[in-house]
Amino acid sequence: MISIGGYPLISLAKARVKRDEFKTMLSDNINPAKAEQKANARAKAQAEQAQQTTFNDVFYQWHGQAKYNWSDKYTADVIKRSKCHLLPHIGDIAICDIDTDVIATVLLKIDEQNKQDTLAKVRGIASRVFRYGVSLKLSAFDPISNIAKERFNKKKKVKHFAAITDPKQIGGLLRLLNDYHGTYQVATALKLAPICFYALTN
């Protein structure tokens, strides 16, 4: 005898679907009660495994498999960024317990440092680890997917260089450019610069 739950917790439509599934099992010489017990046992085992599997565990398993498709430089870069920004903060937490608020707090610390490039790369790494965890049934979802990009609104600081506004100083600068005796290419570029009015950068 096997129970599928009582009404109204289980609707009549769902009960009929379950009944048909049990009929199919019986026609295949499968005991529905034992099959249900095995399914529940597997679900319980997966839940227990998820509780014991940390982000650190999943990260190194993912990294160990993914690195064969990467260059040595990128492989080292992923490790370096993760050890700096992810593993110290969430490495010891069970991956199934890391929700959106937890990972958002980690990413916002990078955002506060105005490291936008690092933020984007670390966010990408973490998301791939979570999705790998989902594929192993160790996590229900990727918590990063629920973080709105608007939460990270820091802008890169623009460094302005000093400009000469005194006409006398401008004249002196032009004479210095004209008297430059370096390579032909550089000398020509320096003489053209005031005419073209573009900024010189290193």
Side-chain angles (χ1 to χ4, degrees):
M1 187 72 177
I2 183 171
S3 173
I4 59 175
Y7 181 84
L9 184 62
I10 301 296
S11 67
L12 291 176
K14 289 183 178 180
R16 291 190 183 101
V17 171
K18 204 68 177 177
R19 176 202 62 192
D20 293 339
E21 290 178 359
F22 290 161
K23 283 184 176 180
T24 301
M25 289 181 182
L26 289 171
S27 66
D28 293 335
N29 294 320
I30 298 174
N31 187 320
K34 290 184 178 180
E36 196 80 0
Q37 290 174 357
K38 289 181 180 179
N40 291 336
R42 283 196 299 270
K44 183 179 179 181
Q46 288 176 350
E48 291 176 350
Q49 182 184 4
Q51 286 292 338
Q52 297 171 0
T53 305
T54 65
F55 181 88
N56 193 75
D57 297 329
V58 179
F59 168 79
Y60 280 107
Q61 185 175 343
W62 163 77
H63 185 271
Q65 293 190 10
K67 68 180 181 181
Y68 295 107
N69 298 317
W70 301 338
S71 66
D72 292 340
K73 182 179 179 181
Y74 183 72
T75 299
D77 183 69
V78 170
I79 285 287
K80 181 180 178 181
R81 292 182 187 278
S82 299
K83 284 185 174 181
C84 182
H85 300 288
L86 290 173
L87 302 184
H89 306 293
I90 60 174
D92 294 332
I93 303 176
I95 192 167
C96 61
D97 290 337
I98 301 175
D99 58 19
T100 299
D101 289 337
V102 172
I103 189 62
T105 300
V106 174
L107 297 177
L108 285 169
K109 289 180 180 179
I110 304 174
D111 185 54
E112 290 171 358
Q113 299 174 39
N114 208 30
K115 297 180 178 179
Q116 303 308 307
D117 182 64
T118 298
L119 172 62
K121 291 180 178 179
V122 171
R123 179 173 178 163
I125 292 170
S127 181
R128 292 166 72 181
V129 174
F130 283 120
R131 282 185 276 127
Y132 183 76
V134 171
S135 72
L136 297 178
K137 297 183 179 180
L138 296 173
S139 184
F141 68 105
D142 171 12
I144 290 181
S145 63
N146 293 332
I147 304 177
K149 291 183 178 180
E150 288 75 14
R151 294 191 67 176
F152 309 105
N153 54 11
K154 294 284 185 179
K155 302 294 183 182
K156 285 188 176 181
K157 293 182 179 179
V158 178
K159 183 178 180 180
H160 297 283
F161 294 90
I164 297 176
T165 57
D166 187 339
K168 293 182 179 179
Q169 292 182 343
I170 293 176
L173 174 62
L174 293 176
R175 285 190 291 273
L176 288 173
L177 295 178
N178 189 64
D179 293 338
Y180 176 78
H181 298 294
T183 62
Y184 173 78
Q185 292 87 346
V186 175
T188 302
L190 290 174
K191 291 176 182 178
L192 287 173
I195 301 173
C196 299
F197 292 100
Y198 65 84
L200 294 175
T201 59
N202 292 329

